[in-house]
Amino acid sequence: MPTESRGYLPALRFPALTRLYDPVVRLTSREGRFKELLVEQAAPAPGQRILDLGCGTGTLAIQVKRRQPAAEVVGLDADPQMLAKARAKAAEAGAELQLDEGFSTELPYEDGSFDRVLSTLFFHHLDAEPKRQTAREIARVLRKGGELHVADWGAPSDPVMAAAFLGIRLLDGFENTAENARGELPRIFEEAGLEQARQTYRLRTVLGTLAIYRSEKGG
């Protein structure tokens, strides 16, 4: 994940924990359900070019490719260890993916080069300004009529979910997660130039409320 020093934070903050990422996410976030909802919402179509931003170990990118083999699926992450795991998983699954190393604040792609951008459990890692820079970069690389689909921690649905979310906030930082906790990602997406940003689903998990969002780039 990008930081002001142009480094990145491993997904579980410590490189030694990278090998635990897949089982931790699977056991704590209802991963199967929220990724199923996200892919259904994105509705990948033949010939589309789709970016999985902050692709991690490639689980979502592989799922998208399986759902629509005739789409071109690209994954980007700043963590080379994660990308190595993603390449191994893609090879094992027989999924042809383009997996790139880079930063969300300076996407290495041409303007208007994607029909869909998907992202899961990524935005809450970012400070306020990198969140906005990332949203602007997404708006830049989306084609007219393209769509952004995001699953991330959202505003707690009740006091129990607020208490559950404290673990994530302690791990990833209260400042980084403040806008997520206030449900402000749609506002950030619209400020970046996207339209009709809204929450579409909300799931209860052991670590808090998992929200799914969508927005579009106007024609």
Side-chain angles (χ1 to χ4, degrees), residues 3 12 57 65 80 111 152 173 178 207:
T3 67
L12 296 180
T57 64
K65 189 66 174 178
D111 295 0
D152 212 321
L207 292 178

Side-chain angles (χ1 to χ4, degrees), residues 38-52 61 64-65 67-75 96-98 112-118 141-149 214:
L38 191 73
V39 173
E40 288 179 356
Q41 178 175 284
Q48 286 186 336
R49 192 165 188 242
I50 299 170
L51 174 64
D52 178 7
V64 172
K65 189 66 174 178
R67 170 71 178 262
Q68 182 46 260
E72 179 185 354
V73 181
V74 179
E96 184 178 346
L97 306 176
Q98 176 183 328
S113 53
F114 289 95
D115 300 284
R116 300 283 188 273
V117 175
L118 281 61
V141 302
L142 275 173
R143 294 172 178 145
K144 291 181 180 180
E147 299 172 1
L148 169 65
H149 299 271
R214 69 176 297 155

Side-chain angles (χ1 to χ4, degrees), residues 70-121:
E72 179 185 354
V73 181
V74 179
L76 180 130
D77 204 281
D79 186 338
Q81 290 188 55
M82 285 290 206
L83 286 172
K85 289 179 69 69
R87 292 187 178 104
K89 284 170 62 175
E92 183 177 356
E96 184 178 346
L97 306 176
Q98 176 183 328
L99 295 168
D100 300 327
E101 185 175 339
F103 290 88
S104 66
T105 51
E106 292 183 15
L107 295 176
Y109 309 113
E110 298 292 328
D111 295 0
S113 53
F114 289 95
D115 300 284
R116 300 283 188 273
V117 175
L118 281 61
S119 181
T120 60
L121 299 180

